[in-house]
Amino acid sequence: MIEQKKFRIGILGSGKGSNMVAIAEACANGTIPAEIAVVISDVESAGILERARERGLKGQFIAPGKFRTKLDESAENEFINTLKTEQVDLVVLAGFMRILKGDFLRVFEHRVVNIHPSLLPAFPGLEAWKQALDYGVKVTGCTVHFVDQGVDTGPIIAQQTVPVSFEDTDETLHARVQEAERELYPECVAALARGEVVVRGRQTAWKK
Ligand code: GRF
């Protein structure tokens, strides 16, 4: 019998790695029919690498180069080569704090996804839960989307709402948004691994 190659995920992150852990757990218990091939960070001391390694996953640091908000050319090539060597089918951004551009997105066209802590297109950019609280919205949430050349602008795959209460602080709202992220992201990655997500221009749908 020919064994089918498992769907392979590469995760990129710069922070503590709670989304990576949620996805790793869903892969381990079979909710996501895929395996994590590699976890890469641009921050050597990032929690995401430690949490990946303690789970027996490959955690790799790649120095980002001289820029603050993007990768320099050689770093970008190293990211691309590592993901290619690992035969990654899907690149999952989980708190990756650099903007990916041109070459990277061309190599992994329609195969890079991100999670953002607001209901896009409201509050793109940094500290979106804080932007939502400061604005006074009654409902915020999180969005999983494909990554395109813009910042938080790619086609939306799914969103989950989180009510905002009068008592909320930055911390309490952020914690509830992150809780929603840990539910939504694994569900979306599972649908992508099963090939259930179809894209038509800016619209997407889940076909079972
Ligand atoms: C998440 O809140 C996500 O929305 C944003 O970065 C954060 C990463 O958190 N893009 P973690 O590293 O997954 O804990």
Side-chain angles (χ1 to χ4, degrees), residues 142-158:
C142 56
T143 302
V144 175
H145 63 93
F146 287 104
V147 175
D148 67 6
Q149 299 269 356
V151 177
D152 304 324
T153 52
I156 290 172
I157 299 168

Side-chain angles (χ1 to χ4, degrees), residues 116-119 122-137 140-141 164 168-175 177:
H116 181 76
S118 75
L119 297 176
F123 313 125
L126 295 176
E127 298 192 325
W129 65 90
K130 187 175 181 326
Q131 295 184 52
L133 193 63
D134 291 348
Y135 194 93
V137 293
T140 185
V164 182
D168 264 322
T169 62
D170 283 359
E171 290 73 30
T172 59
L173 184 57
H174 189 200
V177 169

